Amino acid sequence: MEDIKEFKQDCLFDEHGTLSAFVEQEVVATALCRALAAAAWIVGMLGIAGEGVGPLSIALVVFPGLIALWVVDVYFSYVGVVYKVRRLAVRRMIADLPTESSDEVASWATPVNPFDGADKKGALRDALLSPWVLLPYAVLEFATIMNLLLA
């Protein structure tokens, strides 16, 4: 029965590696999304400043653009939270592996899709309320409002 423990350990390490690779991709994707939002805002504000465009035109371009990038960022973060929670569950299983009986380990099953059985509402709430997701866009929106008021 020790073979089942070795097999499950190999499976869990493989799943952990796959989940970790995706989490790394999510971190890069969200960072790129935020950098793109900041760069687009800077380029847009510099371009608009020299053209004499009115405040309403600026607001109609900047606010929907930032909201669209925020939605993409929230989506990437949501998926990342689901994968991070699943990775934590796999880590707990790996930690429990030496102390569990072979019969108990044999009954362990992991979902093929990390979204199966996941707390999707909790993951969405975490993504929406994360200061790392919300704050960059709120700062850009605030900077736009201040720019419009001071111009």
Side-chain angles (χ1 to χ4, degrees), residues 92-106:
R92 281 192 296 275
M93 293 170 86
I94 290 170
D96 292 344
L97 193 63
T99 59
E100 294 292 336
S101 68
S102 295
D103 291 335
E104 179 66 28
V105 171

Side-chain angles (χ1 to χ4, degrees), residues 38-112:
W41 185 85
I42 290 169
V43 169
M45 285 298 158
L46 291 175
I48 289 171
E51 298 296 321
V53 176
L56 182 60
S57 297
I58 293 171
L60 289 175
V61 171
V62 172
F63 291 120
L66 288 176
I67 290 171
L69 286 169
W70 175 75
V71 168
V72 170
D73 198 346
V74 166
Y75 173 74
F76 285 141
S77 297
Y78 161 73
V79 172
V81 168
V82 170
Y83 275 75
K84 288 171 191 169
V85 168
R86 178 69 197 139
R87 186 174 65 171
L88 286 174
V90 168
R91 285 180 181 172
R92 281 192 296 275
M93 293 170 86
I94 290 170
D96 292 344
L97 193 63
T99 59
E100 294 292 336
S101 68
S102 295
D103 291 335
E104 179 66 28
V105 171
S107 68
W108 289 356
T110 60
V112 174

Side-chain angles (χ1 to χ4, degrees), residues 41 45-46 49 58 141-151:
W41 185 85
M45 285 298 158
L46 291 175
I58 293 171
E141 298 280 356
F142 179 74
T144 302
I145 292 169
M146 292 307 293
N147 192 355
L148 293 174
L149 291 176
L150 297 175

